[in-house]
Amino acid sequence: MKKILIAIALALTVSFAWAQKNEPAENAETRGYAVAIGDDAPDFTITYLDGKTVKLSSLRGKLVMLQFTASWCPVCRREMPNIESDIWQPHKTDTNFVLIGIDLKEKPRKITHFANETGISYLLTLDEKGEIFALYTEKNAGVTRNILIAPNGKILFMTRLFDPEEFNMLVQIIEDELKNIK
């Protein structure tokens, strides 16, 4: 009996260790985010491909959408044409709206090629070391994320992956918020 209990305990220990090691990087509750709706958006300075820099906090008073993406991400490639057609094109001339496409850990040449391949006209920026991504996500979190920041600097809405229903909610929130700013 004692040998059976030891064997069961050993099996449970091994199973628990294996489950911990193979646990997904993102837990279901936070979806891999290190921030939550209602939090102050962590501030950062981003660099565009032309060398221009913008500090997030300098955009207070505007509705800001951060779109984290990467060329190697197939879900990003599916989502980006929708961002282009449903968000960027209708609002690109609205001075109260800013869309910052943030490419994760890639070089400028790769990012330019990626933008051309996806057919987007909104600008992508550099996060070559993933430092900005790390401000918003848990360690080892996956890309394809959108974060909507209210004019007061608070996080208003966040998406993960490309779920059409969630994406449509994002589009609607953007439209509603922009009506409230004017």
Side-chain angles (χ1 to χ4, degrees), residues 161-179:
L161 297 173
F162 179 56
D163 171 21
E165 185 176 323
E166 186 176 61
F167 183 82
N168 289 336
M169 288 174 58
L170 174 65
V171 170
Q172 188 60 55
I173 292 169
I174 290 170
E175 290 174 7
D176 292 345
E177 286 296 314
L178 289 173
K179 287 177 191 169

Side-chain angles (χ1 to χ4, degrees), residues 69-73 76-77 80 103 106 109-120 124:
T69 190
S71 68
W72 45 262
C73 169
C76 299
R77 288 177 176 273
M80 291 171 76
D103 188 276
E106 296 184 301
R109 185 174 171 175
K110 182 75 158 178
I111 297 169
T112 301
H113 182 68
F114 176 40
N116 290 336
E117 281 182 335
T118 55
I120 61 163
L124 295 178

Side-chain angles (χ1 to χ4, degrees), residues 7-179:
I8 291 171
L10 182 59
L12 288 172
T13 302
V14 169
S15 295
F16 180 76
W18 184 86
Q20 289 289 90
K21 182 181 174 203
N22 294 298
E23 181 179 275
E26 300 176 14
N27 69 53
E29 188 176 312
T30 66
R31 296 171 56 182
Y33 277 106
V35 295
I37 292 173
D39 287 355
D40 287 326
D43 202 11
F44 59 84
T45 299
I46 194 75
T47 303
Y48 286 86
L49 294 175
D50 65 2
K52 175 184 165 193
T53 61
V54 174
K55 190 168 180 137
L56 180 64
S57 58
S58 74
L59 301 172
R60 287 278 168 92
K62 298 177 185 293
L63 183 65
V64 178
M65 179 179 155
L66 307 179
Q67 183 237 346
F68 289 100
T69 190
S71 68
W72 45 262
C73 169
V75 178
C76 299
R77 288 177 176 273
R78 278 197 320 270
E79 180 184 56
M80 291 171 76
N82 293 285
I83 292 171
E84 174 74 22
S85 64
D86 298 349
I87 296 172
W88 180 241
Q89 287 303 317
H91 304 295
K92 68 182 180 181
T93 60
D94 190 329
T95 58
N96 293 312
F97 180 69
V98 177
L99 171 58
I100 302 175
I102 303 173
D103 188 276
L104 181 61
K105 296 183 179 178
E106 296 184 301
K107 301 289 182 196
R109 185 174 171 175
K110 182 75 158 178
I111 297 169
T112 301
H113 182 68
F114 176 40
N116 290 336
E117 281 182 335
T118 55
I120 61 163
S121 64
Y122 61 91
L123 299 177
L124 295 178
T125 60
L126 303 167
D127 187 13
E128 289 183 87
K129 294 180 182 177
E131 294 168 338
I132 297 167
F133 189 67
L135 293 172
Y136 288 85
T137 63
E138 295 173 349
K139 187 176 181 177
N140 299 322
V143 76
T144 309
R145 296 175 181 277
N146 298 301
I147 301 171
L148 192 61
I149 302 168
N152 65 2
K154 302 275 186 193
I155 296 173
L156 186 61
F157 191 71
M158 301 184 301
T159 69
R160 173 70 180 111
L161 297 173
F162 179 56
D163 171 21
E165 185 176 323
E166 186 176 61
F167 183 82
N168 289 336
M169 288 174 58
L170 174 65
V171 170
Q172 188 60 55
I173 292 169
I174 290 170
E175 290 174 7
D176 292 345
E177 286 296 314
L178 289 173
K179 287 177 191 169

